[in-house]
Amino acid sequence: MGFQLSHCSKQKKVKPFYGPDKDDDNGYASWPVKHPSALETFDSISKEAKGKKVVVFLDYDGTLSPIVEDPDKAFMSSEMRMAVREVAKYFPTSIISGRSREKVKEFVQVTNVYYGGSHGLDILAPLRAVKSFDKKISIEVEDTITEIQGARLEDNKFCISVHYRQVPPKDHDYLKEKVISLVENRPEFRLTEGKMVLEVRPSILRNKGDALNYLLDTLGFKDAKDVLLCTSEMIERTKMHSGLIHFP
Ligand SMILES: O=P(O)(O)OC[C@H]1O[C@H](O[C@H]2O[C@H](CO)[C@@H](O)[C@H](O)[C@H]2O)[C@H](O)[C@@H](O)[C@@H]1O
């Protein structure tokens, strides 16, 4: 987890956010250098936090749970659960995930946090603009990937994920081509890529960064000058970079 001051006059003191680098695989190697872990820079965070309201935003997969082969088994440890519960006692805490809000809530099982699902499309009440996600695309994707060994579809309610972690590497490009071909001429959808996952989302422009702003507003911190934002890595990344796949 990194940290960042929000709308704040002291912004120059804090490391700016950088999008992923071109020089390595999505910038993963150089990321920790530019965004030191909150645990390793605890003293400077404590200093920054003096006199401010701390607001925490976290991802689920890869942050609160380890990345595992089977997305249905990405369980959180009880130590992590206790830690989240404890943090949320003191600071308003939100968990924003690409998964459905119900599923992430079921995994986390903590009541004193705010949940945002489907990459922020579903925060407590779904956005009116996204009445429903056209399930026809799920059926088409499912039918298309069924022949690809190890490929699986996860229904996240307002978006879908096509997992290829368990697909033999030789078939990755084939799978991507197939999914791209289903989405590329349909302006109602957009395609993003995560960790061994393709995500078909409605084309409405909303991501975890928007969800963060919405929750800040809901919490009454929209124009506050004295907020220290503590966010996890994927939320920082999506504030700037959506992982959007551009069609050729
Ligand atoms: O943006 P996120 O909230 O991080 O959601 C991205 C995807 O996260 C989950 O998949 C990832 O974790 C799985 C379990 O560890 C792993 O098997 C998979 O390879 C990762 O991509 C989630 O299952 C997806 O629906 C999200 O799209």
Side-chain angles (χ1 to χ4, degrees):
M1 187 168 82
F3 70 105
Q4 190 186 356
L5 282 175
S6 149
H7 325 288
C8 182
S9 51
K10 287 190 186 153
Q11 213 138 14
K12 58 182 182 307
K13 274 192 173 176
V14 181
K15 281 186 176 296
F17 171 77
Y18 295 93
D21 288 347
K22 300 263 181 292
D23 59 342
D24 59 30
D25 182 15
N26 281 331
Y28 279 96
S30 57
W31 184 272
V33 180
K34 291 174 180 162
H35 301 82
S37 142
L39 286 177
E40 284 156 22
T41 53
F42 192 74
D43 287 347
S44 54
I45 290 198
S46 305
K47 251 197 242 157
E48 286 290 353
K50 272 223 167 89
K52 295 191 188 77
K53 295 162 188 103
V54 173
V55 192
V56 180
F57 291 90
L58 302 166
D59 296 275
Y60 183 72
D61 291 279
T63 297
L64 299 179
S65 72
I67 291 289
V68 293
E69 290 283 313
D70 182 349
D72 289 341
K73 301 214 167 101
F75 302 119
M76 195 173 155
S77 67
S78 43
E79 288 81 4
M80 184 62 90
R81 184 166 296 110
M82 263 162 57
V84 171
R85 203 173 276 135
E86 219 31 37
V87 166
K89 258 196 222 165
Y90 298 99
F91 313 117
T93 300
S94 305
I95 299 170
I96 311 174
S97 174
R99 298 194 190 237
S100 76
R101 179 163 56 87
E102 290 83 357
K103 195 169 199 176
V104 86
K105 196 169 172 191
E106 202 178 295
F107 274 137
V108 176
Q109 290 176 32
V110 170
T111 50
N112 58 344
V113 303
Y114 295 80
Y115 291 95
S118 310
H119 298 278
L121 288 160
D122 186 14
I123 303 173
L124 305 177
L127 263 192
R128 256 185 249 141
V130 192
K131 288 206 184 75
S132 64
F133 182 71
D134 184 356
K135 296 287 172 192
K136 264 202 320 230
I137 189 86
S138 316
I139 298 165
E140 286 173 39
V141 172
E142 182 114 67
D143 285 351
T144 304
I145 64 169
T146 182
E147 51 147 337
I148 305 174
Q149 187 209 327
R152 64 186 278 185
L153 182 140
E154 184 181 13
D155 184 346
N156 294 328
K157 193 167 170 182
F158 292 104
C159 53
I160 55 173
S161 292
V162 184
H163 291 274
Y164 59 92
R165 190 171 289 280
Q166 297 179 60
V167 172
K170 66 171 177 48
D171 296 333
H172 287 182
D173 285 348
Y174 179 66
L175 175 137
K176 287 183 191 178
E177 276 162 29
K178 285 281 183 191
V179 177
I180 287 174
S181 71
L182 286 175
V183 179
E184 66 184 335
N185 291 319
R186 293 160 93 165
E188 67 272 34
F189 299 112
R190 66 193 179 110
L191 193 62
T192 55
E193 185 162 17
K195 293 172 186 155
M196 303 265 193
V197 70
L198 296 174
E199 295 152 338
V200 182
R201 314 192 197 185
S203 55
I204 176 172
L205 284 179
R206 174 166 271 230
N207 63 30
K208 290 183 189 174
D210 301 312
L212 179 152
N213 285 328
Y214 174 92
L215 284 162
L216 269 182
D217 193 6
T218 307
L219 290 162
F221 295 131
K222 192 176 168 207
D223 298 314
K225 303 272 182 276
D226 56 349
V227 169
L228 182 81
L229 283 186
C230 297
T231 64
S232 55
E233 177 185 337
M234 289 311 282
I235 291 176
E236 270 308 298
R237 285 176 183 273
T238 50
K239 273 163 65 190
M240 292 288 285
H241 170 78
S242 63
L244 194 67
I245 294 179
H246 296 282
F247 302 122

PDB file of all heavy atoms in Angstrom, residues 152-182:
ATOM      1  N   ARG A 152     -11.438 -19.782 -18.490  1.00  0.00           N
ATOM      2  CA  ARG A 152     -12.707 -19.747 -17.755  1.00  0.00           C
ATOM      3  C   ARG A 152     -13.255 -18.337 -17.630  1.00  0.00           C
ATOM      4  O   ARG A 152     -12.513 -17.356 -17.621  1.00  0.00           O
ATOM      5  CB  ARG A 152     -12.573 -20.405 -16.393  1.00  0.00           C
ATOM      6  CG  ARG A 152     -11.629 -19.730 -15.454  1.00  0.00           C
ATOM      7  CD  ARG A 152     -11.490 -20.548 -14.213  1.00  0.00           C
ATOM      8  NE  ARG A 152     -12.583 -20.316 -13.273  1.00  0.00           N
ATOM      9  CZ  ARG A 152     -12.618 -20.849 -12.067  1.00  0.00           C
ATOM     10  NH1 ARG A 152     -11.663 -21.667 -11.684  1.00  0.00           N
ATOM     11  NH2 ARG A 152     -13.611 -20.581 -11.251  1.00  0.00           N
ATOM     12  N   LEU A 153     -14.569 -18.306 -17.584  1.00  0.00           N
ATOM     13  CA  LEU A 153     -15.244 -17.011 -17.523  1.00  0.00           C
ATOM     14  C   LEU A 153     -15.767 -16.786 -16.101  1.00  0.00           C
ATOM     15  O   LEU A 153     -16.272 -17.711 -15.468  1.00  0.00           O
ATOM     16  CB  LEU A 153     -16.399 -17.020 -18.518  1.00  0.00           C
ATOM     17  CG  LEU A 153     -17.207 -15.738 -18.650  1.00  0.00           C
ATOM     18  CD1 LEU A 153     -17.544 -15.512 -20.120  1.00  0.00           C
ATOM     19  CD2 LEU A 153     -18.492 -15.785 -17.849  1.00  0.00           C
ATOM     20  N   GLU A 154     -15.595 -15.576 -15.607  1.00  0.00           N
ATOM     21  CA  GLU A 154     -16.152 -15.229 -14.295  1.00  0.00           C
ATOM     22  C   GLU A 154     -17.158 -14.100 -14.505  1.00  0.00           C
ATOM     23  O   GLU A 154     -16.832 -13.079 -15.109  1.00  0.00           O
ATOM     24  CB  GLU A 154     -15.024 -14.768 -13.359  1.00  0.00           C
ATOM     25  CG  GLU A 154     -15.515 -14.475 -11.956  1.00  0.00           C
ATOM     26  CD  GLU A 154     -14.382 -13.993 -11.030  1.00  0.00           C
ATOM     27  OE1 GLU A 154     -13.295 -13.654 -11.524  1.00  0.00           O
ATOM     28  OE2 GLU A 154     -14.628 -13.949  -9.810  1.00  0.00           O
ATOM     29  N   ASP A 155     -18.359 -14.306 -14.002  1.00  0.00           N
ATOM     30  CA  ASP A 155     -19.404 -13.292 -14.149  1.00  0.00           C
ATOM     31  C   ASP A 155     -19.320 -12.332 -12.966  1.00  0.00           C
ATOM     32  O   ASP A 155     -19.564 -12.717 -11.824  1.00  0.00           O
ATOM     33  CB  ASP A 155     -20.769 -14.007 -14.168  1.00  0.00           C
ATOM     34  CG  ASP A 155     -21.907 -13.027 -14.421  1.00  0.00           C
ATOM     35  OD1 ASP A 155     -21.683 -11.802 -14.324  1.00  0.00           O
ATOM     36  OD2 ASP A 155     -23.021 -13.495 -14.707  1.00  0.00           O
ATOM     37  N   ASN A 156     -18.945 -11.085 -13.242  1.00  0.00           N
ATOM     38  CA  ASN A 156     -18.787 -10.092 -12.166  1.00  0.00           C
ATOM     39  C   ASN A 156     -19.977  -9.137 -12.100  1.00  0.00           C
ATOM     40  O   ASN A 156     -19.849  -8.014 -11.630  1.00  0.00           O
ATOM     41  CB  ASN A 156     -17.496  -9.300 -12.365  1.00  0.00           C
ATOM     42  CG  ASN A 156     -16.277 -10.184 -12.209  1.00  0.00           C
ATOM     43  OD1 ASN A 156     -16.281 -11.134 -11.440  1.00  0.00           O
ATOM     44  ND2 ASN A 156     -15.226  -9.882 -12.965  1.00  0.00           N
ATOM     45  N   LYS A 157     -21.087  -9.571 -12.647  1.00  0.00           N
ATOM     46  CA  LYS A 157     -22.356  -8.832 -12.623  1.00  0.00           C
ATOM     47  C   LYS A 157     -22.435  -7.703 -13.635  1.00  0.00           C
ATOM     48  O   LYS A 157     -23.290  -7.720 -14.487  1.00  0.00           O
ATOM     49  CB  LYS A 157     -22.669  -8.323 -11.226  1.00  0.00           C
ATOM     50  CG  LYS A 157     -24.082  -7.827 -11.066  1.00  0.00           C
ATOM     51  CD  LYS A 157     -24.391  -7.635  -9.599  1.00  0.00           C
ATOM     52  CE  LYS A 157     -25.690  -6.912  -9.399  1.00  0.00           C
ATOM     53  NZ  LYS A 157     -25.947  -6.705  -7.966  1.00  0.00           N
ATOM     54  N   PHE A 158     -21.574  -6.687 -13.549  1.00  0.00           N
ATOM     55  CA  PHE A 158     -21.626  -5.600 -14.521  1.00  0.00           C
ATOM     56  C   PHE A 158     -20.442  -5.665 -15.488  1.00  0.00           C
ATOM     57  O   PHE A 158     -20.191  -4.736 -16.246  1.00  0.00           O
ATOM     58  CB  PHE A 158     -21.668  -4.246 -13.825  1.00  0.00           C
ATOM     59  CG  PHE A 158     -22.955  -4.042 -13.084  1.00  0.00           C
ATOM     60  CD1 PHE A 158     -23.006  -4.146 -11.710  1.00  0.00           C
ATOM     61  CD2 PHE A 158     -24.137  -3.786 -13.774  1.00  0.00           C
ATOM     62  CE1 PHE A 158     -24.191  -3.977 -11.017  1.00  0.00           C
ATOM     63  CE2 PHE A 158     -25.338  -3.617 -13.098  1.00  0.00           C
ATOM     64  CZ  PHE A 158     -25.367  -3.712 -11.712  1.00  0.00           C
ATOM     65  N   CYS A 159     -19.677  -6.717 -15.422  1.00  0.00           N
ATOM     66  CA  CYS A 159     -18.572  -6.945 -16.353  1.00  0.00           C
ATOM     67  C   CYS A 159     -18.206  -8.430 -16.250  1.00  0.00           C
ATOM     68  O   CYS A 159     -18.676  -9.105 -15.334  1.00  0.00           O
ATOM     69  CB  CYS A 159     -17.363  -6.066 -16.013  1.00  0.00           C
ATOM     70  SG  CYS A 159     -16.804  -6.190 -14.318  1.00  0.00           S
ATOM     71  N   ILE A 160     -17.430  -8.903 -17.204  1.00  0.00           N
ATOM     72  CA  ILE A 160     -16.991 -10.301 -17.096  1.00  0.00           C
ATOM     73  C   ILE A 160     -15.470 -10.382 -17.194  1.00  0.00           C
ATOM     74  O   ILE A 160     -14.820  -9.512 -17.776  1.00  0.00           O
ATOM     75  CB  ILE A 160     -17.620 -11.222 -18.178  1.00  0.00           C
ATOM     76  CG1 ILE A 160     -17.366 -10.689 -19.596  1.00  0.00           C
ATOM     77  CG2 ILE A 160     -19.094 -11.461 -17.927  1.00  0.00           C
ATOM     78  CD1 ILE A 160     -17.823 -11.636 -20.689  1.00  0.00           C
ATOM     79  N   SER A 161     -14.922 -11.438 -16.594  1.00  0.00           N
ATOM     80  CA  SER A 161     -13.485 -11.672 -16.667  1.00  0.00           C
ATOM     81  C   SER A 161     -13.247 -12.985 -17.401  1.00  0.00           C
ATOM     82  O   SER A 161     -13.932 -13.978 -17.134  1.00  0.00           O
ATOM     83  CB  SER A 161     -12.889 -11.811 -15.266  1.00  0.00           C
ATOM     84  OG  SER A 161     -12.963 -10.587 -14.600  1.00  0.00           O
ATOM     85  N   VAL A 162     -12.276 -12.960 -18.304  1.00  0.00           N
ATOM     86  CA  VAL A 162     -11.882 -14.196 -18.982  1.00  0.00           C
ATOM     87  C   VAL A 162     -10.497 -14.543 -18.469  1.00  0.00           C
ATOM     88  O   VAL A 162      -9.511 -13.878 -18.791  1.00  0.00           O
ATOM     89  CB  VAL A 162     -11.867 -14.017 -20.521  1.00  0.00           C
ATOM     90  CG1 VAL A 162     -11.542 -15.340 -21.197  1.00  0.00           C
ATOM     91  CG2 VAL A 162     -13.194 -13.449 -21.008  1.00  0.00           C
ATOM     92  N   HIS A 163     -10.417 -15.559 -17.635  1.00  0.00           N
ATOM     93  CA  HIS A 163      -9.150 -15.934 -17.015  1.00  0.00           C
ATOM     94  C   HIS A 163      -8.343 -16.849 -17.941  1.00  0.00           C
ATOM     95  O   HIS A 163      -8.899 -17.804 -18.491  1.00  0.00           O
ATOM     96  CB  HIS A 163      -9.408 -16.690 -15.710  1.00  0.00           C
ATOM     97  CG  HIS A 163      -9.982 -15.816 -14.630  1.00  0.00           C
ATOM     98  ND1 HIS A 163      -9.183 -15.072 -13.804  1.00  0.00           N
ATOM     99  CD2 HIS A 163     -11.265 -15.567 -14.256  1.00  0.00           C
ATOM    100  CE1 HIS A 163      -9.958 -14.401 -12.938  1.00  0.00           C
ATOM    101  NE2 HIS A 163     -11.216 -14.686 -13.205  1.00  0.00           N
ATOM    102  N   TYR A 164      -7.047 -16.539 -18.071  1.00  0.00           N
ATOM    103  CA  TYR A 164      -6.213 -17.467 -18.859  1.00  0.00           C
ATOM    104  C   TYR A 164      -4.978 -17.943 -18.098  1.00  0.00           C
ATOM    105  O   TYR A 164      -4.052 -18.497 -18.671  1.00  0.00           O
ATOM    106  CB  TYR A 164      -5.856 -16.880 -20.236  1.00  0.00           C
ATOM    107  CG  TYR A 164      -5.113 -15.575 -20.240  1.00  0.00           C
ATOM    108  CD1 TYR A 164      -3.719 -15.541 -20.256  1.00  0.00           C
ATOM    109  CD2 TYR A 164      -5.798 -14.373 -20.263  1.00  0.00           C
ATOM    110  CE1 TYR A 164      -3.023 -14.347 -20.276  1.00  0.00           C
ATOM    111  CE2 TYR A 164      -5.120 -13.164 -20.278  1.00  0.00           C
ATOM    112  CZ  TYR A 164      -3.735 -13.164 -20.291  1.00  0.00           C
ATOM    113  OH  TYR A 164      -3.039 -11.973 -20.309  1.00  0.00           O
ATOM    114  N   ARG A 165      -4.979 -17.772 -16.769  1.00  0.00           N
ATOM    115  CA  ARG A 165      -3.860 -18.236 -15.936  1.00  0.00           C
ATOM    116  C   ARG A 165      -3.615 -19.735 -16.110  1.00  0.00           C
ATOM    117  O   ARG A 165      -2.499 -20.221 -16.017  1.00  0.00           O
ATOM    118  CB  ARG A 165      -4.147 -17.908 -14.470  1.00  0.00           C
ATOM    119  CG  ARG A 165      -2.982 -18.104 -13.524  1.00  0.00           C
ATOM    120  CD  ARG A 165      -3.291 -17.540 -12.155  1.00  0.00           C
ATOM    121  NE  ARG A 165      -3.326 -16.095 -12.126  1.00  0.00           N
ATOM    122  CZ  ARG A 165      -2.240 -15.303 -12.059  1.00  0.00           C
ATOM    123  NH1 ARG A 165      -1.041 -15.838 -11.999  1.00  0.00           N
ATOM    124  NH2 ARG A 165      -2.367 -13.996 -12.043  1.00  0.00           N
ATOM    125  N   GLN A 166      -4.698 -20.478 -16.359  1.00  0.00           N
ATOM    126  CA  GLN A 166      -4.546 -21.934 -16.455  1.00  0.00           C
ATOM    127  C   GLN A 166      -4.554 -22.427 -17.908  1.00  0.00           C
ATOM    128  O   GLN A 166      -4.664 -23.617 -18.165  1.00  0.00           O
ATOM    129  CB  GLN A 166      -5.660 -22.608 -15.657  1.00  0.00           C
ATOM    130  CG  GLN A 166      -5.545 -22.258 -14.176  1.00  0.00           C
ATOM    131  CD  GLN A 166      -6.653 -22.878 -13.344  1.00  0.00           C
ATOM    132  OE1 GLN A 166      -6.793 -24.081 -13.300  1.00  0.00           O
ATOM    133  NE2 GLN A 166      -7.434 -22.046 -12.686  1.00  0.00           N
ATOM    134  N   VAL A 167      -4.421 -21.478 -18.833  1.00  0.00           N
ATOM    135  CA  VAL A 167      -4.371 -21.837 -20.259  1.00  0.00           C
ATOM    136  C   VAL A 167      -2.906 -22.019 -20.645  1.00  0.00           C
ATOM    137  O   VAL A 167      -2.061 -21.200 -20.255  1.00  0.00           O
ATOM    138  CB  VAL A 167      -5.006 -20.701 -21.111  1.00  0.00           C
ATOM    139  CG1 VAL A 167      -4.812 -20.926 -22.595  1.00  0.00           C
ATOM    140  CG2 VAL A 167      -6.480 -20.527 -20.763  1.00  0.00           C
ATOM    141  N   PRO A 168      -2.558 -23.075 -21.396  1.00  0.00           N
ATOM    142  CA  PRO A 168      -1.157 -23.225 -21.806  1.00  0.00           C
ATOM    143  C   PRO A 168      -0.680 -21.971 -22.551  1.00  0.00           C
ATOM    144  O   PRO A 168      -1.423 -21.440 -23.395  1.00  0.00           O
ATOM    145  CB  PRO A 168      -1.192 -24.433 -22.757  1.00  0.00           C
ATOM    146  CG  PRO A 168      -2.481 -25.131 -22.469  1.00  0.00           C
ATOM    147  CD  PRO A 168      -3.439 -24.124 -21.898  1.00  0.00           C
ATOM    148  N   PRO A 169       0.544 -21.468 -22.242  1.00  0.00           N
ATOM    149  CA  PRO A 169       1.021 -20.224 -22.853  1.00  0.00           C
ATOM    150  C   PRO A 169       0.897 -20.197 -24.378  1.00  0.00           C
ATOM    151  O   PRO A 169       0.614 -19.149 -24.959  1.00  0.00           O
ATOM    152  CB  PRO A 169       2.482 -20.159 -22.416  1.00  0.00           C
ATOM    153  CG  PRO A 169       2.523 -20.951 -21.146  1.00  0.00           C
ATOM    154  CD  PRO A 169       1.475 -22.017 -21.256  1.00  0.00           C
ATOM    155  N   LYS A 170       1.049 -21.333 -25.013  1.00  0.00           N
ATOM    156  CA  LYS A 170       0.989 -21.345 -26.490  1.00  0.00           C
ATOM    157  C   LYS A 170      -0.403 -20.908 -26.994  1.00  0.00           C
ATOM    158  O   LYS A 170      -0.558 -20.495 -28.134  1.00  0.00           O
ATOM    159  CB  LYS A 170       1.354 -22.727 -27.042  1.00  0.00           C
ATOM    160  CG  LYS A 170       0.370 -23.821 -26.700  1.00  0.00           C
ATOM    161  CD  LYS A 170       0.675 -25.116 -27.453  1.00  0.00           C
ATOM    162  CE  LYS A 170      -0.247 -26.269 -27.085  1.00  0.00           C
ATOM    163  NZ  LYS A 170      -1.656 -26.071 -27.050  1.00  0.00           N
ATOM    164  N   ASP A 171      -1.424 -20.991 -26.124  1.00  0.00           N
ATOM    165  CA  ASP A 171      -2.786 -20.629 -26.562  1.00  0.00           C
ATOM    166  C   ASP A 171      -3.222 -19.223 -26.132  1.00  0.00           C
ATOM    167  O   ASP A 171      -4.347 -18.810 -26.408  1.00  0.00           O
ATOM    168  CB  ASP A 171      -3.804 -21.642 -26.002  1.00  0.00           C
ATOM    169  CG  ASP A 171      -3.568 -23.039 -26.562  1.00  0.00           C
ATOM    170  OD1 ASP A 171      -3.023 -23.133 -27.679  1.00  0.00           O
ATOM    171  OD2 ASP A 171      -3.907 -24.012 -25.875  1.00  0.00           O
ATOM    172  N   HIS A 172      -2.329 -18.497 -25.430  1.00  0.00           N
ATOM    173  CA  HIS A 172      -2.735 -17.177 -24.931  1.00  0.00           C
ATOM    174  C   HIS A 172      -3.157 -16.238 -26.065  1.00  0.00           C
ATOM    175  O   HIS A 172      -4.195 -15.580 -25.978  1.00  0.00           O
ATOM    176  CB  HIS A 172      -1.601 -16.528 -24.123  1.00  0.00           C
ATOM    177  CG  HIS A 172      -1.408 -17.173 -22.784  1.00  0.00           C
ATOM    178  ND1 HIS A 172      -0.488 -16.742 -21.861  1.00  0.00           N
ATOM    179  CD2 HIS A 172      -2.020 -18.241 -22.196  1.00  0.00           C
ATOM    180  CE1 HIS A 172      -0.541 -17.500 -20.786  1.00  0.00           C
ATOM    181  NE2 HIS A 172      -1.457 -18.417 -20.973  1.00  0.00           N
ATOM    182  N   ASP A 173      -2.318 -16.168 -27.109  1.00  0.00           N
ATOM    183  CA  ASP A 173      -2.635 -15.227 -28.190  1.00  0.00           C
ATOM    184  C   ASP A 173      -3.934 -15.612 -28.889  1.00  0.00           C
ATOM    185  O   ASP A 173      -4.739 -14.748 -29.248  1.00  0.00           O
ATOM    186  CB  ASP A 173      -1.489 -15.192 -29.216  1.00  0.00           C
ATOM    187  CG  ASP A 173      -0.314 -14.404 -28.660  1.00  0.00           C
ATOM    188  OD1 ASP A 173      -0.498 -13.721 -27.631  1.00  0.00           O
ATOM    189  OD2 ASP A 173       0.792 -14.500 -29.244  1.00  0.00           O
ATOM    190  N   TYR A 174      -4.105 -16.909 -29.041  1.00  0.00           N
ATOM    191  CA  TYR A 174      -5.320 -17.399 -29.702  1.00  0.00           C
ATOM    192  C   TYR A 174      -6.558 -16.958 -28.904  1.00  0.00           C
ATOM    193  O   TYR A 174      -7.521 -16.433 -29.454  1.00  0.00           O
ATOM    194  CB  TYR A 174      -5.239 -18.930 -29.810  1.00  0.00           C
ATOM    195  CG  TYR A 174      -6.445 -19.567 -30.449  1.00  0.00           C
ATOM    196  CD1 TYR A 174      -6.744 -19.334 -31.789  1.00  0.00           C
ATOM    197  CD2 TYR A 174      -7.290 -20.394 -29.702  1.00  0.00           C
ATOM    198  CE1 TYR A 174      -7.867 -19.911 -32.377  1.00  0.00           C
ATOM    199  CE2 TYR A 174      -8.414 -20.972 -30.277  1.00  0.00           C
ATOM    200  CZ  TYR A 174      -8.692 -20.724 -31.604  1.00  0.00           C
ATOM    201  OH  TYR A 174      -9.800 -21.299 -32.182  1.00  0.00           O
ATOM    202  N   LEU A 175      -6.489 -17.161 -27.594  1.00  0.00           N
ATOM    203  CA  LEU A 175      -7.617 -16.766 -26.735  1.00  0.00           C
ATOM    204  C   LEU A 175      -7.875 -15.260 -26.854  1.00  0.00           C
ATOM    205  O   LEU A 175      -9.014 -14.815 -27.023  1.00  0.00           O
ATOM    206  CB  LEU A 175      -7.330 -17.156 -25.278  1.00  0.00           C
ATOM    207  CG  LEU A 175      -8.373 -16.695 -24.264  1.00  0.00           C
ATOM    208  CD1 LEU A 175      -8.683 -17.802 -23.262  1.00  0.00           C
ATOM    209  CD2 LEU A 175      -7.937 -15.458 -23.500  1.00  0.00           C
ATOM    210  N   LYS A 176      -6.779 -14.468 -26.800  1.00  0.00           N
ATOM    211  CA  LYS A 176      -6.961 -13.012 -26.866  1.00  0.00           C
ATOM    212  C   LYS A 176      -7.617 -12.608 -28.185  1.00  0.00           C
ATOM    213  O   LYS A 176      -8.533 -11.788 -28.212  1.00  0.00           O
ATOM    214  CB  LYS A 176      -5.620 -12.303 -26.714  1.00  0.00           C
ATOM    215  CG  LYS A 176      -5.103 -12.374 -25.292  1.00  0.00           C
ATOM    216  CD  LYS A 176      -3.812 -11.606 -25.154  1.00  0.00           C
ATOM    217  CE  LYS A 176      -3.170 -11.896 -23.813  1.00  0.00           C
ATOM    218  NZ  LYS A 176      -1.903 -11.242 -23.603  1.00  0.00           N
ATOM    219  N   GLU A 177      -7.122 -13.228 -29.284  1.00  0.00           N
ATOM    220  CA  GLU A 177      -7.709 -12.896 -30.600  1.00  0.00           C
ATOM    221  C   GLU A 177      -9.199 -13.187 -30.614  1.00  0.00           C
ATOM    222  O   GLU A 177     -10.006 -12.409 -31.120  1.00  0.00           O
ATOM    223  CB  GLU A 177      -7.052 -13.743 -31.698  1.00  0.00           C
ATOM    224  CG  GLU A 177      -5.754 -13.159 -32.215  1.00  0.00           C
ATOM    225  CD  GLU A 177      -4.928 -14.204 -32.946  1.00  0.00           C
ATOM    226  OE1 GLU A 177      -5.514 -15.149 -33.521  1.00  0.00           O
ATOM    227  OE2 GLU A 177      -3.683 -14.091 -32.906  1.00  0.00           O
ATOM    228  N   LYS A 178      -9.546 -14.334 -30.046  1.00  0.00           N
ATOM    229  CA  LYS A 178     -10.960 -14.742 -30.048  1.00  0.00           C
ATOM    230  C   LYS A 178     -11.812 -13.731 -29.268  1.00  0.00           C
ATOM    231  O   LYS A 178     -12.876 -13.325 -29.732  1.00  0.00           O
ATOM    232  CB  LYS A 178     -11.111 -16.125 -29.376  1.00  0.00           C
ATOM    233  CG  LYS A 178     -10.638 -17.257 -30.235  1.00  0.00           C
ATOM    234  CD  LYS A 178     -11.716 -17.563 -31.240  1.00  0.00           C
ATOM    235  CE  LYS A 178     -11.390 -18.734 -32.129  1.00  0.00           C
ATOM    236  NZ  LYS A 178     -12.324 -18.861 -33.250  1.00  0.00           N
ATOM    237  N   VAL A 179     -11.335 -13.340 -28.093  1.00  0.00           N
ATOM    238  CA  VAL A 179     -12.127 -12.417 -27.270  1.00  0.00           C
ATOM    239  C   VAL A 179     -12.184 -11.038 -27.941  1.00  0.00           C
ATOM    240  O   VAL A 179     -13.242 -10.414 -28.036  1.00  0.00           O
ATOM    241  CB  VAL A 179     -11.573 -12.332 -25.831  1.00  0.00           C
ATOM    242  CG1 VAL A 179     -12.356 -11.324 -24.997  1.00  0.00           C
ATOM    243  CG2 VAL A 179     -11.626 -13.712 -25.154  1.00  0.00           C
ATOM    244  N   ILE A 180     -11.033 -10.598 -28.460  1.00  0.00           N
ATOM    245  CA  ILE A 180     -11.010  -9.292 -29.147  1.00  0.00           C
ATOM    246  C   ILE A 180     -12.009  -9.299 -30.306  1.00  0.00           C
ATOM    247  O   ILE A 180     -12.777  -8.356 -30.494  1.00  0.00           O
ATOM    248  CB  ILE A 180      -9.580  -8.948 -29.624  1.00  0.00           C
ATOM    249  CG1 ILE A 180      -8.709  -8.570 -28.420  1.00  0.00           C
ATOM    250  CG2 ILE A 180      -9.598  -7.802 -30.638  1.00  0.00           C
ATOM    251  CD1 ILE A 180      -7.250  -8.341 -28.728  1.00  0.00           C
ATOM    252  N   SER A 181     -12.041 -10.408 -31.052  1.00  0.00           N
ATOM    253  CA  SER A 181     -12.923 -10.425 -32.223  1.00  0.00           C
ATOM    254  C   SER A 181     -14.402 -10.320 -31.810  1.00  0.00           C
ATOM    255  O   SER A 181     -15.220  -9.815 -32.566  1.00  0.00           O
ATOM    256  CB  SER A 181     -12.677 -11.675 -33.069  1.00  0.00           C
ATOM    257  OG  SER A 181     -13.176 -12.794 -32.386  1.00  0.00           O
ATOM    258  N   LEU A 182     -14.728 -10.749 -30.606  1.00  0.00           N
ATOM    259  CA  LEU A 182     -16.130 -10.644 -30.173  1.00  0.00           C
ATOM    260  C   LEU A 182     -16.490  -9.235 -29.725  1.00  0.00           C
ATOM    261  O   LEU A 182     -17.645  -8.838 -29.744  1.00  0.00           O
ATOM    262  CB  LEU A 182     -16.385 -11.604 -28.994  1.00  0.00           C
ATOM    263  CG  LEU A 182     -16.476 -13.083 -29.342  1.00  0.00           C
ATOM    264  CD1 LEU A 182     -16.605 -13.908 -28.072  1.00  0.00           C
ATOM    265  CD2 LEU A 182     -17.681 -13.328 -30.247  1.00  0.00           C
TER     266      LEU A 182
END
